Amino acid sequence: MVNFLQNLIDAISLGSLYALIALGIALLFGIMQLVNFAHGELIMVGGYTFLLLEHQSWPVIVIGTIGSVVLLALLMERVAFRPVRNASPPTLFITSFAISYLIQNIMIIAIGATARAAQLPLTLSEPVSIGGLAVSRLDLVTIAGTLLILLLFALFLRKTRFGLQMRAAAEDFEMARLLGVRANRVIAGAFAISGVLAAVVALVVVEKTSILTPSMGQTYVLIGFVATVVGGLGSLPAAALGGFVVGFATVGLQAWLPLSLRSYRDAFVFGLVIVILLFRPQGLIVVRSEQAQRV
Amino acid sequence: MEAASPRRADAVRDAVGRARELLGTPLVLIVLLAVIVYGAPALSPALRPTVTTMLVNLVVVIGLFVFIGNSGVLSFGHISFMAIGAYTYALVTIPESSKSIFLPNLPGFLAHADVPNVPAALLAGAVAATFGFVIAIPLMRLSGIAASIATFSVLVIVQVVLSNWNSLTNGKTPIIGVPNTTTQWSAFAWAAVFLVIAYGFKESALGLRLRASREDDIAARGLGVSIYWERLSAMVVSAFFVGVAGALLAGFLGSFNPDAFYVDLTIVTLAMLVVGGMHTLTGAWVGAIAISALTEVLRRFTEGVSLGSLDVTAPSGTTQVGLGLVMLLALIFRPEGLVGGREIRPPRPRFPFGRPREGHAPAVVAPTKSTGDN
């Protein structure tokens, strides 16, 4: 039972992280059909900003990381994605890949390809004992933080004018523009928000692993794609759900697969992804409008 | 006699026109390719391995084009076919004596297998195509991004299995001792054959139906295109090509491990296809050649070149930054690819049978029109 609860907390924590990544990817996909491979580089740059600021106080680290990642996200949008905005999805994807490749290698020129270790204050990784369970504080902070962000995000989308415009743009971009939604503002806004989400993921990832490499973003962004599609395209709660599903599948298989098969874990996770897609090609949550048919 | 002769002339003209239609583009591409394959090593013998690598990439990109270019479905799974081809080729060509040392647990028929190169490459293609067929049966029901993510899942699964199936693949440890049989000309021969087949596939009725479904799947279904079968066939053909490319790479490198066939190669080859222009064979060709050539040029700059009395050396990582930058610029300025949606064609020959008579439309006109702008 204790074991089960332990795994459950691990699963929720990992699922929260994946949900945050999936949200950042789904947001841009919904509005401009962009599968943003460079989201991983936002996470990576966030991680290195964290490293740069590691001896500062917490608010400085958080604000600095978010600030730098949001700036980078806006820069990407302005320089690279705006000119190709109306191109086909494969072109958009390869553009995002080119950006990712570029940033990764600029980073390699600047600081080298070797891994860096962050020396972080240990307070967050110390376990807290809750009814016999040793729970790391980081897991608790991650879970609480994700819930808070999801809540704020939902409120933002439901209650603010900008959120409304963003939902309209995700539903039907052309129609939204005809009704006076400014394309440049909405898309730049979406990039900024996906930057905030990536920065939060970077903070959690660095705290969790404390290892940084210029290619660290790739793993996360790939999981993010998968989670987004499994959850269901075109709706943000669905993407978050997808993140949790992939997180639960990963932790669950790690815990329950027989030892001889454990090294095949990822094969099982992705096998499950295929099965889910075969039964629910639109993802677990199907959006009501016919927009979903298009993608 | 009076009536039969012009009719025969018409028939010949139609046949010539149709042959020109089907073979013109691949022949031009093959001739240009031959110039590069012959010329580059003549300029500098050090370019020989570069040319071979370029040809292997070209074969992969032709394979990607057959499926992605015609169907419009982005596949991230094709490099798993390459991995399967490479391992198949390695297991049937490595001499029995070395297999018995580092792969002692191979099943008997593989342990004793000793297949010559060309049949081994065909076998590699066939195994990859069979695998492609098996995964396509469920996966081709999907379209759009769901299909892309499902194919990506296949890539991960194949990677995990190859990395862990120690008795067959030696796991993450590189497999060694594959005979170095791939030369620039053997790779060229495969590329040439595949250029012809790929173009024929695109121009076939099946290819036309597939391209119709790419442009508008609902309309294509309305016209009786099943889409499922078309995509399945394209998947099998392209898996065969990419499997052979895996065999070529195995015979070129001599030693490799599963990491050689993963996300990096997937995205580099996809980038070649998209930068060149994914809807034409010419685009696939241009993308593969241009990016390979650019990589080589940038690599040389990184190593240092002498411009007159000036030695120019770039810091490491510059190759990749340059490549990323050029790709980005190409996509920004030509989002539809470097080749603007048209196939290259040989210069129109002077027609030996005079102009077509009025009111007689040769059969070749219709396909010309329908393929003109895609």
Side-chain angles (χ1 to χ4, degrees), chain A residues 91 97 102 105 233 263 278, chain B residues 141 145 149 164 267 320-321 335:
Chain A
T91 303
F97 164 69
L102 197 61
N105 285 292
L233 284 163
S263 55
L278 287 176
Chain B
R141 297 166 4 133
I145 189 116
I149 293 296
N164 287 288
I267 297 192
Q320 289 81 359
V321 170

Side-chain angles (χ1 to χ4, degrees), chain A residues 152-183:
Chain A
L152 285 177
F153 199 40
L155 281 176
F156 166 78
L157 286 175
R158 300 273 153 205
K159 300 291 178 197
T160 67
R161 190 182 168 79
F162 199 67
L164 178 71
Q165 293 187 348
M166 212 167 256
R167 282 188 295 139
E171 184 82 11
D172 186 337
F173 192 62
E174 282 313 307
M175 181 57 86
R177 290 188 71 178
L178 289 175
L179 294 174
V181 172
R182 293 197 182 175

Side-chain angles (χ1 to χ4, degrees), chain A residues 74-96:
Chain A
L74 289 173
L75 189 72
M76 272 182 197
E77 193 276 325
R78 187 64 193 84
V79 174
F81 287 114
R82 199 171 287 187
V84 294
R85 189 180 289 166
N86 298 317
S88 65
T91 303
L92 282 170
F93 170 75
I94 297 294
T95 306
S96 77

Side-chain angles (χ1 to χ4, degrees), chain A residues 74-235:
Chain A
L74 289 173
L75 189 72
M76 272 182 197
E77 193 276 325
R78 187 64 193 84
V79 174
F81 287 114
R82 199 171 287 187
V84 294
R85 189 180 289 166
N86 298 317
S88 65
T91 303
L92 282 170
F93 170 75
I94 297 294
T95 306
S96 77
F97 164 69
I99 296 169
S100 138
Y101 194 69
L102 197 61
I103 296 177
Q104 237 182 70
N105 285 292
I106 289 175
M107 212 63 182
I108 289 178
I109 292 182
I111 56 163
T114 42
R116 298 271 183 116
Q119 303 194 332
L120 304 161
L122 290 171
T123 46
L124 271 179
S125 43
E126 270 173 20
V128 200
S129 176
I130 304 175
L133 277 176
V135 184
S136 94
R137 280 190 204 183
L138 180 60
D139 281 343
L140 293 181
V141 171
T142 308
I143 295 167
T146 306
L147 290 179
L148 182 69
I149 288 176
L150 289 180
L151 190 72
L152 285 177
F153 199 40
L155 281 176
F156 166 78
L157 286 175
R158 300 273 153 205
K159 300 291 178 197
T160 67
R161 190 182 168 79
F162 199 67
L164 178 71
Q165 293 187 348
M166 212 167 256
R167 282 188 295 139
E171 184 82 11
D172 186 337
F173 192 62
E174 282 313 307
M175 181 57 86
R177 290 188 71 178
L178 289 175
L179 294 174
V181 172
R182 293 197 182 175
N184 286 347
R185 267 183 55 191
V186 167
I187 291 180
F191 267 91
I193 294 173
S194 90
V196 174
L197 293 167
V200 175
V201 171
L203 293 171
V204 174
V205 164
V206 174
E207 272 289 342
K208 214 168 196 156
T209 64
S210 68
I211 303 286
L212 292 152
T213 63
S215 59
M216 62 184 277
Q218 188 173 302
T219 326
Y220 296 107
V221 80
L222 290 172
I223 291 172
F225 291 163
V226 171
T228 309
V229 176
V230 165
L233 284 163
S235 102

Side-chain angles (χ1 to χ4, degrees), chain B residues 350-366:
Chain B
R350 285 175 64 90
F351 228 87
F353 302 104
R355 302 199 144 276
R357 282 170 301 162
E358 192 136 338
H360 177 98
V364 294
V365 167

Side-chain angles (χ1 to χ4, degrees), chain B residues 44-208:
Chain B
S44 147
L47 284 175
R48 188 159 292 138
T50 313
V51 167
T52 313
T53 315
M54 175 196 84
L55 288 165
V56 173
N57 284 336
L58 175 63
V59 173
V60 177
V61 178
I62 297 170
L64 292 178
F65 164 77
V66 167
F67 181 74
I68 301 173
N70 289 316
S71 74
V73 176
L74 202 54
S75 161
F76 294 108
H78 272 66
I79 296 304
S80 63
F81 305 145
M82 198 177 177
I84 288 170
Y87 274 97
T88 307
Y89 185 81
L91 290 178
V92 299
T93 56
I94 297 177
E96 194 177 336
S97 51
S98 30
K99 269 191 282 198
S100 63
I101 297 169
F102 70 94
L103 289 170
N105 300 322
L106 276 186
F109 70 99
L110 279 175
H112 302 300
D114 183 16
V115 183
N117 313 325
V118 175
L122 288 171
L123 182 70
V127 173
T130 311
F131 178 72
F133 176 71
V134 171
I135 61 152
I137 291 173
L139 257 49
M140 289 304 103
R141 297 166 4 133
L142 301 172
S143 35
I145 189 116
S148 303
I149 293 296
T151 52
F152 172 70
S153 305
V154 170
L155 180 73
V156 177
I157 292 171
V158 168
Q159 165 78 11
V160 171
V161 170
L162 289 177
S163 303
N164 287 288
W165 196 346
N166 292 324
S167 65
L168 200 65
T169 64
N170 215 8
K172 286 265 188 199
T173 322
I175 203 162
I176 52 172
V178 188
N180 281 104
T181 48
T182 305
T183 63
Q184 49 175 337
W185 288 112
S186 69
F188 170 78
W190 285 106
V193 171
F194 289 161
L195 280 170
V196 173
I197 302 177
Y199 196 75
F201 183 88
K202 179 191 166 195
E203 293 296 309
S204 67
L206 193 105
L208 189 60

